[in-house]
Amino acid sequence: MDHKKIGIVTPWFGMEIPGGAEAEIRGLALHLAQAGVKLEILTTCVKEFLSDWSVNYHKEGLTKEQGIPVRRFRVRKRDTAQFDQVNRKLMTGQMPLTKEEEETYVREMINSPGLYSYMEEHKEEYTVFVFIPYMFGTTYYGMQVCPEKSVLIPCLHDESYIYLEVFQELFPKIAGMVFLSKPEYELADQVYDLGNVNTEVLGAGVNTDVSFDAKRFREKYQIFDNFLLYAGRKDEGKNVHTLLRYFTEYKKRNEDSLKLVLIGGGNIEIPKDAEEDVYDLGFVPVQDKYDAYGAATMLCQPSANESFSIVIMESWLCGRPVLVNADCAVTKNFVMEANGGLYFEDYFEFEGALHYIVNHLKTADSMGRQGQEYVRSHFSWDVIVRKYRRFLEGGFDVKCKKIKGG
């Protein structure tokens, strides 16, 4: 690449903030920069997803975070009530929206006119703009500044938002789209006309430099039986309630000593029938998390909406197989490609999978090793950086033309 730089555009940025897309772009920026790629984060002054999107938490301007230039812009005050009214329809699947409702959605979510003006004035300084994820104002309006050198990492699931006409009109006009998995690409290809868009499945980077000690975990938390592990937020969207219901039913129907261990934030009510067999450890130190993966008989990822799944990759890196929801095309595809676990469609398949693993521990070990090899060969950061450099340096430096006001 010449003297120009990559601009990574994201609604908020921070080295500690939570979220899958947030972690992905943080890791990608750090590892590309370490590989000598000149880049800059273009973002807003908002702290994180769970913050008020009208509040400027950070100071405007240019700072450096772990050596990466971060350029922040103030957000425009939004009409939260208008947005919430439309967003409620999207969240409950009341589709299609009217044209006016779609315009309200993109206009009244997080937006920064200063960011778009800066991009317009300085676009020749950038080889390519990379946007993540797809549904925010910074992406929608930002990509319109220079669609011919805009690359989107959408982080798609099959949800109401992806069917909005504003996205169906814009996405075919951009230069490139990068996907974290094959099913995510297949979904995008069904919904959008990507015939003129440079598309590629590149995956996501995973920190493969992990160590774990199963014995240390068991002794620290006094859990010596075989156990199924859940790692992640304990909320409805992650389907952990289904896991808890299925596990409770499993314990009623089976007399083995299998336990369920939950780690991660959020609160969930443990059914009285299962209290003796469920350990809710809440947040644990990072090393304890890896030790838990290594000690588990199997990890369960019950979510039906994933565009990737770091917890599956981490479980495999610690040599343990995974059990995933068959309704999630992404995680099911990973399990099949890696031959690193099983999947379930209903309670009886869930029960059958647990029976099989508990009674075939050597096979479970083998699945875990296969998963480990799959992660190392596909998603280690050196592999991901190589793929992204090849894609982004492929040439998006073209004359920009603006297609629609932001």
Side-chain angles (χ1 to χ4, degrees), residues 48-83:
E48 61 187 16
F49 176 73
L50 293 173
S51 305
D52 182 334
W53 297 350
S54 291
V55 172
N56 291 294
Y57 172 84
H58 294 282
K59 282 185 180 169
E60 190 168 35
L62 183 64
T63 57
K64 277 204 169 185
E65 296 189 26
Q66 291 191 25
I68 294 175
V70 180
R71 197 180 291 275
R72 287 193 168 88
F73 299 85
R74 294 176 66 79
V75 283
R76 176 173 64 74
K77 192 160 174 56
R78 46 199 288 271
D79 188 328
T80 311
Q82 267 196 7
F83 177 82

Side-chain angles (χ1 to χ4, degrees), residues 83-102:
F83 177 82
D84 288 350
Q85 194 175 4
V86 175
N87 195 42
R88 205 169 295 117
K89 284 191 168 185
L90 286 160
M91 289 175 77
T92 52
Q94 297 176 52
M95 297 285 284
L97 300 184
T98 64
K99 189 170 188 292
E100 290 71 26
E101 285 172 327
E102 289 202 11

Side-chain angles (χ1 to χ4, degrees), residues 200-258:
E200 203 159 337
V201 178
L202 299 184
V206 176
N207 173 26
T208 54
D209 184 21
V210 301
S211 63
F212 57 93
D213 186 329
K215 185 167 176 279
R216 181 168 56 198
F217 177 83
R218 292 185 177 284
E219 288 176 352
K220 179 171 180 176
Y221 293 96
Q222 292 293 292
I223 302 171
F224 298 103
D225 293 316
N226 285 333
F227 67 88
L228 187 64
L229 177 67
Y230 172 81
R233 290 197 318 274
K234 293 185 281 287
D235 65 31
E236 293 274 3
K238 290 295 183 182
N239 213 23
V240 65
H241 300 73
T242 300
L243 168 59
L244 204 49
R245 194 170 73 248
Y246 281 7
F247 183 76
T248 304
E249 183 65 21
Y250 177 88
K251 293 309 293 186
K252 282 181 192 167
R253 296 163 55 92
N254 297 273
E255 293 186 357
D256 63 29
S257 60
L258 188 70

Side-chain angles (χ1 to χ4, degrees), residues 50-158:
L50 293 173
S51 305
D52 182 334
W53 297 350
S54 291
V55 172
N56 291 294
Y57 172 84
H58 294 282
K59 282 185 180 169
E60 190 168 35
L62 183 64
T63 57
K64 277 204 169 185
E65 296 189 26
Q66 291 191 25
I68 294 175
V70 180
R71 197 180 291 275
R72 287 193 168 88
F73 299 85
R74 294 176 66 79
V75 283
R76 176 173 64 74
K77 192 160 174 56
R78 46 199 288 271
D79 188 328
T80 311
Q82 267 196 7
F83 177 82
D84 288 350
Q85 194 175 4
V86 175
N87 195 42
R88 205 169 295 117
K89 284 191 168 185
L90 286 160
M91 289 175 77
T92 52
Q94 297 176 52
M95 297 285 284
L97 300 184
T98 64
K99 189 170 188 292
E100 290 71 26
E101 285 172 327
E102 289 202 11
E103 285 170 358
T104 297
Y105 172 80
V106 289
R107 186 183 65 245
E108 301 304 338
M109 67 132 48
I110 184 167
N111 272 301
S112 173
L115 168 61
Y116 315 139
S117 297
Y118 174 85
M119 290 173 64
E120 178 67 41
E121 289 162 19
H122 296 268
K123 60 195 175 190
E124 298 308 329
E125 296 170 22
Y126 297 87
T127 313
V128 61
F129 293 107
V130 178
F131 297 83
I132 182 172
Y134 78 96
M135 63 167 63
F136 294 98
T138 48
T139 297
Y140 177 70
Y141 291 114
M143 291 200 306
Q144 294 182 54
V145 172
C146 189
E148 292 89 348
K149 52 176 165 180
S150 291
V151 170
L152 175 61
I153 306 173
C155 304
L156 292 175
H157 329 292
D158 192 355

